[in-house]
Amino acid sequence: MTSLNDIRATFLGFFETNDHRVVDSSPLVPRNDPTLMFTNSGMVQFKNVFTGVEHRDYVRATTAQKCVRAGGKHNDLDNVGYTARHHTFFEMLGNFSFGDYFKEAAIPFAWDLITKEFGISKDRLLVTVYHTDDEAAQIWKTYAGLPDERIIRIPTSDNFWQMGPTGPCGPCTEIFYDHGDHIPGGPPGSPDEDGDRFIEIWNLVFMQYEQFEDGTRRELGAQSIDTGMGLERIGALLQGKHDNYDTDLMRALIEACAHATSSDPDGPGRIHHRVIADHLRSTSFLIADGVMPSNEGRGYVLRRIMRRAMRHAHLLGAKDPVMYRLVPALVMQMGQAYPELGRAQPLIEETLKLEESRFRETLDRGLRLLDEELAHLPDRADLPGAAAFKLYDTYGFPLDLTQDALRERGRAVDVAGFDAAMAEQKAKARAAWAGSGETADAALWFDIAERDGTTEFLGYDTETAEGQIRAIVLGGAEVPEASAGDSVLIVLNQTPFYAEAGGQVGDSGVLRTDTGVARITDTRKTAGVFIHVADVTEGRIATGTGAELRVNHDRRSAIRANHSATHLLHEALREALGEHVAQRGSLNAPDRLRFDFSHSKAMTPEELVRVEAEVNAFIRQNSKVETRIMTPDDARAIGAQALFGEKYGDEVRVVSMGEAPTGKGLNGRTWSIELCGGTHVRQTGDIGLFVTLGESASSAGVRRIEALTGQAAFDHLAGQDRKLAEVAAVLKARPEDAPDRVRALLDERKALQAEVADLRRKIALGGGSGAEGGEVPRTVNGVTFLAQVLDGVPGRDLPGLIDALKARVGSGAVLLISEADGKAAVAAGVTTDLTGRLSAVDIARAAVEALGGKGGGGRPDMAQGGAKSAENAAAAIAAAEAALKG
Ligand code: SER
């Protein structure tokens, strides 16, 4: 039997041989289309190539594309498992031409592949064409030799394909397989076409137009080809099965499920196995592509799918989580074609196990409540909306899970009643919000959130994405559009821009639409709405249109590095200073990081050096930075650092990095584990370098470290180096000798200062040789009095001179007045034999006062004072003499 893996390889190989580039499947979360929840066909990643906006270095491509279809009003989820061909996850095989070949080659390629490579009998095949497409009909006739009655013209949109309300589109031709008249059903276009006899296997779209929002269409510059063939369908056909779930790949998953639940794959639990097999694929691939279960947006679709599968596992009688145990079987089947599956295997298993364990806690009680409600209802009556809402709100039953559970009993839910209950709850939440003291403009964001939903953040995985503009706020009020020169706040349905939170600053970058450009300077968030602070710089931007968003990459990279370094720093501090260290605040900006932590005393320089060295050692280790979603309790159980006093939701994001022999975490070797919603580097090596700028007090019991990483750290060190080189050049020394040279210079300076003081004293005392040059003492009131006016001797040198003068007079009083450094200093002295009747303090005070100063003090034998100037020195001396006279 040809396996699905072989069929995929044959398809890609056929087109590769025919000069097509084999292109990898794009992620399930479309990067380039804001209107799509999940990638739902092969052409999604080529959308902009078809319209000519984007160019690739090839004009022919072939892919096996992962697809998920499980959203929207008429979603398929309810049918999946019960029918032969409904899936939430499927693979679409396709070949694409971008302005290269058109119908004349696309039809022959398709025909050759299915009739020659796959060996499907020509007699079993028929095709449809758009009713006006004579050209396609003619090619089918001449190349494939199909008779007219097997080329059916269809006038409806069934044969005109468009990817959505806007975008590339064109007429298409579809290939059908006839299973034979023993199966009920009519050919396409007939009243009973929905039967199972004629099955569509391949759709070839002739991309010719681009559809716009206003309903108009333009002819594309180049005619292109987009084809899509569901692998599961063609696989069933080639394996001689009528049911996609009977193909080898799906069967392997069903059997793994039967084995894990010790039940018969084809017994009464048959439907449950099918549901689980399908949902295992969509959930695993979604998780591998970065979607995590949540209560909003894509994450909620994932959760709905997971919970639906879990209820079916419960119905199989499973007492413990089952889904995660099936992941190895899936990786075995599909891991080679999609390596991302193997890479994400631990994350997929952990996420499934967590979701399953948690949901189990309420599943039983919810199902019991459902039974009780039904017991009170008349036969076949719908379940009241309020009951369905209670199941949703209290027990985590998504509406479609309740519907699925009721389906088996032939009942439905009063959906209008459910919606009303939901609306009422939102109104209550709003009222609570209004009463929470938030600012008035919070109400505006709450209104927007309620009307348009919250913003989905895509920025963990990408820095560019498209979003739909939901609201523009100018001067506090919503406006339909804004023009160049306006400063506005913009809300989109999804964004790669990080909104300021947890110490990490908001992103900046550029927003572009078909009609204008805005510079985004900051991003904030309120009520789950991401607010892009923007200046419109060109043209105009309007709500309801798509916009390309581009985060400033260099800035974001620097922020990532700083944020990851903060985690490493936190752990290094705990190791160096003790377990009491806890985060008290942080800033992760592009140019620096700041980390506040509890610690009661200043760090020593040695501690700081040790911490810095440790952080750098973990940077060089270059270990992977990993992210998981867990319950707060599980996170704490593996040693995650949480912010003290912070409230966390049901699920937390856990970021871990670094490996250490005595680490923590599930493997006991993880160094840093923190609850964190921020963006981080992929590997610690991306931080590059870590340099602390210093440690200081932030508030009582809280210390602060400021630091740099990456280029900024390097620039800082290079700057320090340049300064050292400059110092060395001035010293005319090698940089390594600079400290010794500076020390020697300081010693020399000290010695010179002492010498200068000595010389000054000698000069003041008359050249140092007896009395020559010095003033002559006189006798006042029987006391020898020597007064002298000096120039340039600072006050601190005067006491030494006073002592010397006292020695010179032997017995008497001395006075020195000196002008230095722009002020006057006064010092007076009295020899000890006279201190009984005279005081140096009186002499000094009298002199200071005469100079226009105030005060003066000291001891009877030595006193000092100061004044602004020594201009009246003569008067000061006279005043001192007067003081001596008493
Ligand atoms: N885009 C078309 C489809 O989804 C062909 O790939 O059917």
Side-chain angles (χ1 to χ4, degrees):
M1 184 177 65
T2 325
S3 69
L4 258 58
N5 281 320
D6 292 339
I7 296 168
R8 189 193 302 110
T10 304
F11 184 97
L12 298 175
F14 173 82
F15 284 103
E16 190 174 24
T17 316
N18 285 292
D19 304 323
H20 289 63
R21 176 78 61 86
V22 181
V23 177
D24 281 344
S25 170
S26 64
L28 282 168
V29 177
R31 296 279 190 264
N32 60 355
D33 192 332
T35 58
L36 269 186
M37 180 155 266
F38 298 119
T39 301
N40 60 8
S41 72
M43 61 80 64
V44 169
Q45 66 167 312
F46 301 119
K47 181 189 91 173
N48 294 333
V49 187
F50 286 126
T51 55
V53 173
E54 186 190 338
H55 295 277
R56 305 260 172 125
D57 63 352
Y58 46 82
V59 290
R60 296 177 175 201
T62 182
T63 61
Q65 174 67 48
K66 307 178 270 193
C67 296
V68 164
R69 291 188 186 174
K73 269 209 161 11
H74 308 286
N75 73 68
D76 289 332
L77 194 53
D78 214 24
N79 286 326
V80 175
Y82 295 92
T83 65
R85 278 176 289 277
H86 278 105
H87 303 279
T88 54
F89 176 93
F90 61 96
E91 289 177 78
M92 194 175 262
L93 304 171
N95 58 293
F96 306 88
S97 151
F98 310 115
D100 188 37
Y101 61 81
F102 201 45
K103 301 177 193 182
E104 76 298 336
I107 292 174
F109 275 144
W111 188 254
D112 288 350
L113 177 65
I114 53 178
T115 57
K116 294 185 188 142
E117 297 283 326
F118 289 157
I120 297 176
S121 162
K122 175 182 160 181
D123 302 334
R124 290 272 187 191
L125 298 168
L126 68 158
V127 300
T128 57
V129 295
Y130 194 51
H131 65 129
T132 54
D133 196 351
D134 297 332
E135 198 188 346
Q138 190 56 38
I139 301 170
W140 281 121
K141 199 166 169 172
T142 48
Y143 190 83
L146 286 178
D148 284 339
E149 66 273 18
R150 282 203 274 140
I151 305 172
I152 302 169
R153 289 175 185 257
I154 304 277
T156 66
S157 61
D158 280 356
N159 275 65
F160 191 93
W161 196 88
Q162 51 190 95
M163 69 165 287
T166 60
C169 57
C172 63
T173 180
E174 294 183 335
I175 305 172
F176 284 74
Y177 183 82
D178 179 0
H179 277 274
D181 53 15
H182 60 290
I183 308 234
S190 71
D192 49 353
E193 63 176 0
D194 286 340
D196 254 1
R197 177 173 165 186
F198 296 92
I199 300 297
E200 182 216 324
I201 54 173
W202 203 346
N203 183 17
L204 319 181
V205 183
F206 308 127
M207 290 293 187
Q208 258 172 288
Y209 308 104
E210 181 174 6
Q211 177 82 40
F212 296 103
E213 256 158 22
D214 59 7
T216 59
R217 227 176 239 173
R218 78 164 169 120
E219 188 104 16
L220 286 174
Q223 295 180 321
S224 294
I225 292 294
D226 152 35
T227 84
M229 175 196 267
L231 174 61
E232 296 73 11
R233 273 189 190 197
I234 190 72
L237 203 153
L238 294 178
Q239 292 179 2
K241 310 286 184 195
H242 196 66
D243 188 320
N244 291 359
Y245 288 83
D246 289 334
T247 55
D248 65 312
L249 197 161
M250 295 306 287
R251 189 69 195 169
L253 302 180
I254 286 171
E255 273 164 16
C257 180
H259 180 74
T261 52
S262 308
S263 56
D264 178 356
D266 304 309
R270 182 175 160 270
I271 297 288
H272 308 319
H273 293 305
R274 293 160 67 95
V275 170
I276 292 168
D278 173 90
H279 292 8
L280 174 71
R281 295 214 301 169
S282 46
T283 51
S284 300
F285 274 97
L286 284 171
I287 295 167
D289 279 347
V291 182
M292 284 288 157
S294 78
N295 286 331
E296 272 158 4
R298 297 186 173 98
Y300 190 58
V301 176
L302 169 62
R303 171 161 284 164
R304 278 166 45 211
I305 300 174
M306 282 170 132
R307 293 199 165 172
R308 186 169 185 260
M310 289 161 190
R311 190 183 71 88
H312 283 274
H314 177 83
L315 291 174
L316 281 171
K319 293 278 170 281
D320 297 308
V322 171
M323 297 273 286
Y324 83 98
R325 290 166 55 205
L326 309 180
V327 178
L330 176 64
V331 175
M332 178 108 89
Q333 288 296 320
M334 302 188 72
Q336 206 167 352
Y338 299 96
E340 65 271 30
L341 207 54
R343 284 196 294 269
Q345 185 171 348
L347 177 69
I348 298 170
E349 290 176 357
E350 263 175 44
T351 310
L352 281 169
K353 194 173 174 190
L354 167 70
E355 185 78 7
E356 217 168 350
S357 318
R358 290 184 51 214
F359 186 48
R360 269 189 175 275
E361 291 167 13
T362 54
L363 184 64
D364 276 333
R365 277 185 289 147
L367 289 173
R368 223 174 302 130
L369 175 91
L370 186 62
D371 285 338
E372 282 164 20
E373 289 284 341
L374 291 178
H376 292 115
L377 291 178
D379 263 2
R380 314 209 66 79
D382 286 358
L383 181 75
F389 184 73
K390 184 165 184 196
L391 282 168
Y392 162 82
D393 201 32
T394 314
Y395 301 103
F397 279 38
L399 178 62
D400 40 35
L401 188 147
T402 306
Q403 288 170 319
D404 194 52
L406 289 174
R407 177 193 179 113
E408 295 144 19
R409 306 168 207 213
R411 299 205 196 215
V413 175
D414 165 18
V415 176
F418 176 86
D419 290 343
M422 177 78 96
E424 192 182 325
Q425 196 205 40
K426 281 192 176 154
K428 272 192 205 146
R430 199 205 137 91
W433 177 275
S436 69
E438 292 283 340
T439 52
D441 78 336
L444 172 67
W445 307 115
F446 202 92
D447 283 344
I448 292 173
E450 201 166 306
R451 186 187 67 209
D452 302 325
T454 54
T455 311
E456 187 153 349
F457 178 58
L458 306 176
Y460 289 128
D461 301 307
T462 181
E463 292 175 1
T464 58
E466 287 187 21
Q468 203 65 21
I469 300 180
R470 288 280 168 79
I472 301 174
V473 173
L474 177 67
E478 279 195 64
V479 291
E481 61 174 57
S483 327
D486 288 341
S487 291
V488 290
L489 305 171
I490 304 174
V491 177
L492 300 107
N493 65 333
Q494 56 183 20
T495 181
F497 282 71
Y498 184 84
E500 179 184 350
Q504 182 176 326
V505 299
D507 277 330
S508 64
V510 177
L511 174 153
R512 249 172 237 285
T513 70
D514 286 346
T515 55
V517 181
R519 200 161 46 90
I520 296 177
T521 53
D522 193 9
T523 312
R524 301 195 285 258
K525 115 182 129 177
T526 301
V529 171
F530 281 51
I531 303 163
H532 301 77
V533 182
D535 296 317
V536 183
T537 52
E538 279 173 41
R540 55 180 195 85
I541 54 162
T543 54
T545 59
E548 185 200 308
L549 295 154
R550 191 171 290 273
V551 173
N552 179 334
H553 169 75
D554 291 345
R555 185 172 177 278
R556 166 72 91 77
S557 301
I559 295 170
R560 282 178 198 274
N562 280 336
H563 200 157
S564 300
T566 300
H567 285 209
L568 293 179
L569 172 63
H570 188 182
E571 198 55 38
L573 286 168
R574 287 167 59 80
E575 203 153 288
L577 307 177
E579 298 282 301
H580 63 279
V581 167
Q583 176 167 347
R584 284 285 181 265
S586 70
L587 172 74
N588 300 119
D591 57 337
R592 77 210 144 100
L593 69 90
R594 194 175 70 206
F595 186 68
D596 290 355
F597 57 101
S598 48
H599 186 55
S600 53
K601 53 182 190 289
M603 284 174 73
T604 64
E606 294 73 33
E607 283 169 341
L608 201 56
V609 166
R610 202 161 75 221
V611 163
E612 192 180 59
E614 177 125 89
V615 171
N616 279 298
F618 279 99
I619 291 172
R620 288 192 303 274
Q621 188 186 63
N622 199 22
S623 64
K624 214 169 136 207
V625 176
E626 288 182 334
T627 312
R628 289 184 178 73
I629 302 291
M630 299 184 171
T631 65
D633 288 346
D634 285 350
R636 282 190 197 100
I638 61 163
Q641 294 301 314
L643 277 185
F644 177 76
E646 190 92 339
K647 275 210 194 75
Y648 292 100
D650 290 347
E651 277 126 15
V652 290
R653 201 162 169 270
V654 177
V655 176
S656 47
M657 64 186 86
E659 283 163 28
T662 55
K664 41 192 178 267
L666 286 174
N667 59 9
R669 289 196 311 278
T670 308
W671 197 59
S672 153
I673 308 180
E674 296 205 25
L675 303 193
C676 178
T679 62
H680 287 271
V681 296
R682 274 179 208 288
Q683 311 258 136
T684 54
D686 299 343
I687 300 169
L689 180 64
F690 173 82
V691 177
T692 55
L693 294 177
E695 190 262 6
S696 57
S698 162
S699 59
V702 178
R703 306 297 303 177
R704 165 171 295 181
I705 286 183
E706 298 197 72
L708 304 172
T709 65
Q711 187 64 42
F714 175 83
D715 290 346
H716 174 77
L717 291 183
Q720 303 279 81
D721 224 36
R722 264 198 310 278
K723 278 182 208 135
L724 176 61
E726 220 176 293
V727 169
V730 172
L731 292 169
K732 296 200 174 23
R734 292 178 306 172
E736 56 270 39
D737 295 335
D740 282 345
R741 282 299 303 274
V742 171
R743 238 173 260 126
L745 279 174
L746 287 177
D747 287 348
E748 206 177 304
R749 183 166 175 265
K750 218 165 160 186
L752 285 172
Q753 271 170 345
E755 208 170 308
V756 166
D758 200 39
L759 286 172
R760 279 209 188 103
R761 201 182 63 212
K762 283 182 178 152
I763 292 166
L765 297 179
S769 53
E772 4 147 359
E775 292 291 320
V776 182
R778 55 197 111 167
T779 304
V780 180
N781 200 14
V783 173
T784 308
F785 177 55
L786 180 66
Q788 200 166 341
V789 180
L790 306 172
D791 191 24
V793 180
R796 64 174 179 275
D797 287 351
L798 294 184
L801 295 178
I802 291 286
D803 286 345
L805 288 180
K806 281 201 283 191
R808 212 165 96 193
V809 296
S811 169
V814 297
L815 172 69
L816 286 175
I817 299 170
S818 169
E819 197 164 63
D821 306 329
K823 57 189 188 221
V826 172
V830 171
T831 52
T832 42
D833 57 316
L834 300 176
T835 49
R837 56 187 181 100
L838 288 178
S839 171
V841 176
D842 297 337
I843 301 169
R845 283 206 177 139
V848 165
E849 199 175 316
L851 287 177
K854 256 203 186 112
R859 304 180 315 252
D861 63 333
M862 163 83 73
Q864 274 183 282
K868 283 217 176 83
S869 128
E871 217 177 312
N872 300 327
I877 294 170
E881 281 181 15
L884 280 175
K885 287 183 186 141

